[in-house]
Amino acid sequence: KDSWLDTLIRDKKTPEPFQDVSQGLKKLYRTKLFPLEDTYQFHDFHSPSLEDADFDNKPMVLLVGQYSTGKTTFIRHLMEQDFPGMRIGPEPTTDSFIAVMHGDQDGMIPGNALVVDPKKPFRKLNAFGNAFLNRFMCAQMPNPVLESISIIDTPGILSGEKQRISRGYDFAAVLEWFAERVDRIILLFDAHKLDISDEFSEVIRALKNHEDKMRVVLNKADQINTQQLMRVYGALMWSLGKIINTPEVARVYIGSFWAQPLLIPDNRKLFEAEEQDLFQDIQGLPRNAAIRKLNDLIKRARLAKVHAYIIISLKKEMPSVFGKENKKKELIANLGETYLKIEREHQISPGDFPKLKKMQDLLAGHDFSKFPTMKPKLLEAVDDMLANDIARLMTLVRQEEAAMPSQAVHGGAFEGTMSGPFGHGYGEGAGEGIDELEWVVARDKPSYDEIFYTLSPINGKVSGAAAKKEMVKSKLPNTVLGKIWKLADVDKDGYLDDEEFALANHLIRVKLEGHELPGKLPEHLVPPSKRHLEIDMGD
């Protein structure tokens, strides 16, 4: 173990530049955090050690939900392609964890083979034993969506009588293992049958530490009418609030996530907007992957530090010869007091501590007298990592992001709404009339002209003051009206002629109907008499 300390001392003197974020994270983990974890038996208590594959793998999306909420169908919808081993039905059909990943040809890799592959980030799942590994597989296929992300399909969470039959492995613990390593957790609910079973509640609680990764999808929302949907949405929020037990509410996406016609099309616009938001969230994962890995490493380092302080504190309290067993029982019973002591002594937030009950259960199986004592250098190395190295890596993350701005998920369902007439919001708001030959404002221009001529135009133009009197009648705030004025005064002469005035009124209508204003005036909205100006101005 001395070699670690030598390395730490050497590193402290001359911080080496990192080639890239992934390499930097690996180096920090191996040289600074792993020694602390290893010494204080962190891996026995909390989470297995990290491997190189954990830092190199593509962003992963974990899908969790009760059976028949549409998890497997959701994956099929994203990829627009069946995947090997896929089974869909109203009963609990997916009875395995399936990692859907990119491969040159279609194929299945069984769990036992998967956990010995050093290139895949699943080696540590070995600890969950054969009952789990027989229910774990990887479906590989060439699909453009999978070039940027991997998707984990999970067994449907059971409800009622079914949940009493044991799975043979710790389902919540496996999900928690995945939750630590994925970039996004999507909880699926069925709007048609919104019951949250005991097993699902337990799973959601197990994922509580990863709320920042969690998104909620209320699926099959086209099977009920608007009034029922409002009630279901309210009930879902209330139930989730009780389970997660936090004042903040998770973001819920409402829709019908498959490629079939909507049963009740009343809320089509809402579903389109929600699907678009969710797709954008998933598409941003590759760009934010480095930040997520950095964030997870910081979380892990904080927990490892707290864990070390707990072990050190317990070791210090142990008698050297007699009464070890009784003292151990007493220390476990009073672990809450140890937490408070460490909290005060080291100024650590209560949120950084492991769950008390779980820690007490785990400690019962350990021999306290074998715990290591205080090793300040190991703790200093982690403090140094958090204080200095992370800041250096953060700069590198920003540089990498700037160098690869177009890193986004593509292919499958992500292509359908990118552009063309079925793109989200196409032909609406400021986009209305985009593919019409006539100037779209001309339709309502006669009614705008009537107002225009009551404002006493001089040389065919009205002044800013005169236009303002009319425009404020819309009750829109000055910041919005100022933007509309800028867009409508195409020739930038400080006055509005009849076409520009009509355009200003058209943009006011767009805003009042709830659409966003464009940053720059789109070509199809430029008044016909001003189109030559656009060319002259080099736009």
Side-chain angles (χ1 to χ4, degrees):
K1 298 207 163 128
D2 278 343
S3 60
W4 282 341
L5 300 181
D6 297 341
T7 318
L8 296 176
I9 294 159
R10 199 168 51 250
D11 277 2
K12 205 160 180 189
K13 285 177 194 155
T14 54
E16 265 181 61
F18 302 123
Q19 262 75 52
D20 59 56
V21 177
S22 176
Q23 181 254 354
L25 287 169
K26 279 186 234 174
K27 185 167 186 291
L28 283 184
Y29 179 69
R30 277 197 304 269
T31 59
K32 298 200 170 177
L33 184 52
F34 178 78
L36 180 78
E37 290 183 356
D38 193 43
T39 305
Y40 293 103
Q41 304 172 15
F42 178 87
H43 308 132
D44 297 346
F45 284 84
H46 304 289
S47 166
S49 60
L50 297 176
E51 308 237 318
D52 284 358
D54 288 312
F55 297 107
D56 294 332
N57 69 326
K58 290 173 190 155
M60 293 196 285
V61 177
L62 178 71
L63 287 176
V64 183
Q66 285 176 198
Y67 73 91
S68 194
T69 47
K71 292 187 297 298
T72 308
T73 310
F74 181 83
I75 298 175
R76 205 213 159 287
H77 176 55
L78 286 189
M79 302 194 308
E80 294 183 343
Q81 191 181 346
D82 289 355
F83 58 88
M86 178 178 110
R87 285 163 64 207
I88 292 173
E91 269 302 285
T93 41
T94 303
D95 61 348
S96 304
F97 282 80
I98 303 178
V100 188
M101 304 180 93
H102 191 270
D104 295 332
Q105 64 247 352
D106 285 19
M108 299 285 298
I109 305 171
N112 281 296
L114 206 51
V115 294
V116 293
D117 183 349
K119 289 194 175 71
K120 297 262 190 302
F122 305 124
R123 283 169 43 136
K124 297 293 181 191
L125 281 168
N126 207 5
F128 291 105
N130 254 340
F132 166 70
L133 293 180
N134 293 335
R135 294 259 171 268
F136 178 45
M137 62 195 70
C138 172
Q140 285 193 316
M141 56 192 289
N143 182 289
V145 173
L146 299 175
E147 286 171 14
S148 330
I149 57 170
S150 301
I151 306 168
I152 315 285
D153 193 9
T154 60
I157 290 167
L158 306 175
S159 59
E161 196 54 44
K162 297 191 194 78
Q163 67 191 33
R164 304 218 176 113
I165 306 154
S166 170
R167 293 178 186 270
Y169 59 89
D170 189 341
F171 183 66
V174 172
L175 277 179
E176 199 168 354
W177 185 94
F178 275 110
E180 265 183 41
R181 286 156 179 79
V182 300
D183 296 68
R184 187 65 75 239
I185 302 164
I186 295 180
L187 293 181
L188 271 115
F189 292 88
D190 182 343
H192 214 234
K193 48 176 202 330
L194 188 70
D195 62 323
I196 300 181
S197 68
D198 298 349
E199 190 178 36
F200 201 5
S201 301
E202 187 193 335
V203 162
I204 296 171
R205 283 193 195 99
L207 302 177
K208 189 171 169 12
N209 293 344
H210 308 285
E211 282 161 279
D212 52 328
K213 299 178 181 180
M214 223 185 270
R215 301 289 182 273
V216 178
V217 169
L218 186 58
N219 200 9
K220 306 190 184 181
D222 63 323
Q223 297 183 9
I224 53 178
N225 63 35
T226 308
Q227 190 180 10
Q228 286 171 316
L229 182 58
M230 283 171 67
R231 290 192 178 134
V232 167
Y233 179 76
L236 174 64
M237 291 312 230
W238 185 77
S239 306
L240 279 178
K242 275 203 332 185
I243 298 167
I244 300 177
N245 211 6
T246 54
E248 303 86 15
V249 180
R251 168 74 160 98
V252 177
Y253 299 88
I254 303 169
S256 171
F257 294 93
W258 67 341
Q260 300 300 320
L262 299 176
L263 283 177
I264 300 173
D266 305 5
N267 298 307
R268 183 185 185 116
K269 286 282 265 271
L270 169 70
F271 298 162
E272 280 173 4
E274 294 282 283
E275 182 170 71
Q276 194 66 18
D277 285 355
L278 180 60
F279 280 5
Q280 279 173 356
D281 185 66
I282 295 171
Q283 281 182 302
L285 293 179
R287 212 173 34 250
N288 303 324
I291 264 289
R292 195 274 306 165
K293 285 172 185 158
L294 190 62
N295 190 34
D296 281 357
L297 191 72
I298 296 167
K299 261 199 241 176
R300 192 179 171 101
R302 289 164 72 115
L303 179 60
K305 260 179 65 181
V306 171
H307 174 78
Y309 285 133
I310 293 168
I311 298 296
I312 292 161
S313 179
L314 295 174
K315 169 73 175 177
K316 210 191 286 177
E317 297 292 326
M318 285 301 282
S320 50
V321 190
F322 300 113
K324 289 184 183 177
E325 203 50 44
N326 288 340
K327 186 65 177 171
K328 174 179 161 179
K329 282 180 187 154
E330 184 194 319
L331 286 170
I332 290 176
N334 299 331
L335 188 63
E337 289 170 24
T338 307
Y339 276 19
L340 285 170
K341 200 171 91 183
I342 294 169
E343 214 179 291
R344 282 196 299 270
E345 215 172 294
H346 301 284
Q347 283 83 50
I348 292 170
S349 144
D352 285 356
F353 284 82
K355 289 192 188 97
L356 187 65
K357 176 81 180 76
K358 187 182 164 195
M359 196 66 183
Q360 285 170 323
D361 294 346
L362 288 165
L363 283 167
H366 283 78
D367 181 351
F368 285 20
S369 56
K370 291 208 170 89
F371 282 162
T373 51
M374 178 81 154
K375 293 193 167 38
K377 282 211 164 64
L378 292 178
L379 285 155
E380 281 166 23
V382 174
D383 283 336
D384 178 55
M385 174 183 112
L386 291 169
N388 304 314
D389 298 317
I390 295 293
R392 283 165 51 218
L393 262 186
M394 196 70 208
T395 317
L396 202 54
V397 168
R398 292 284 170 248
Q399 286 168 2
E400 276 190 18
E401 278 178 1
M404 298 183 291
S406 61
Q407 227 186 353
V409 182
H410 60 90
F414 297 101
E415 299 297 313
T417 55
M418 285 293 188
S419 54
F422 293 96
H424 180 60
Y426 184 90
E428 296 170 13
E432 189 188 344
I434 191 163
D435 40 19
E436 290 176 24
L437 293 173
E438 291 288 312
W439 185 42
V440 65
V441 182
R443 280 186 219 155
D444 299 311
K445 190 168 179 287
S447 58
Y448 299 144
D449 281 352
E450 283 177 25
I451 304 166
F452 179 76
Y453 289 110
T454 62
L455 300 175
S456 321
I458 300 162
N459 300 331
K461 296 187 176 196
V462 295
S463 67
K468 180 181 175 180
K469 264 184 207 153
E470 188 54 41
M471 287 166 72
V472 292
K473 289 180 185 170
S474 67
K475 299 191 172 66
L476 286 170
N478 281 352
T479 48
V480 176
L481 292 173
K483 189 173 179 184
I484 289 173
W485 171 273
K486 263 188 179 159
L487 291 168
D489 184 13
V490 181
D491 55 11
K492 307 278 180 274
D493 64 351
Y495 294 88
L496 299 183
D497 63 20
D498 59 331
E499 284 183 337
E500 290 173 327
F501 182 76
L503 174 60
N505 279 283
H506 177 78
L507 292 170
I508 285 172
R509 184 172 65 82
V510 164
K511 188 65 187 169
L512 290 174
E513 285 175 0
H515 301 285
E516 287 304 314
L517 292 170
K520 172 178 178 286
L521 194 66
E523 280 174 38
H524 70 278
L525 286 185
V526 177
S529 65
K530 305 279 189 297
R531 290 194 179 160
H532 65 282
L533 285 176
E534 290 286 295
I535 298 155
D536 296 347
M537 282 151 56
D539 284 350

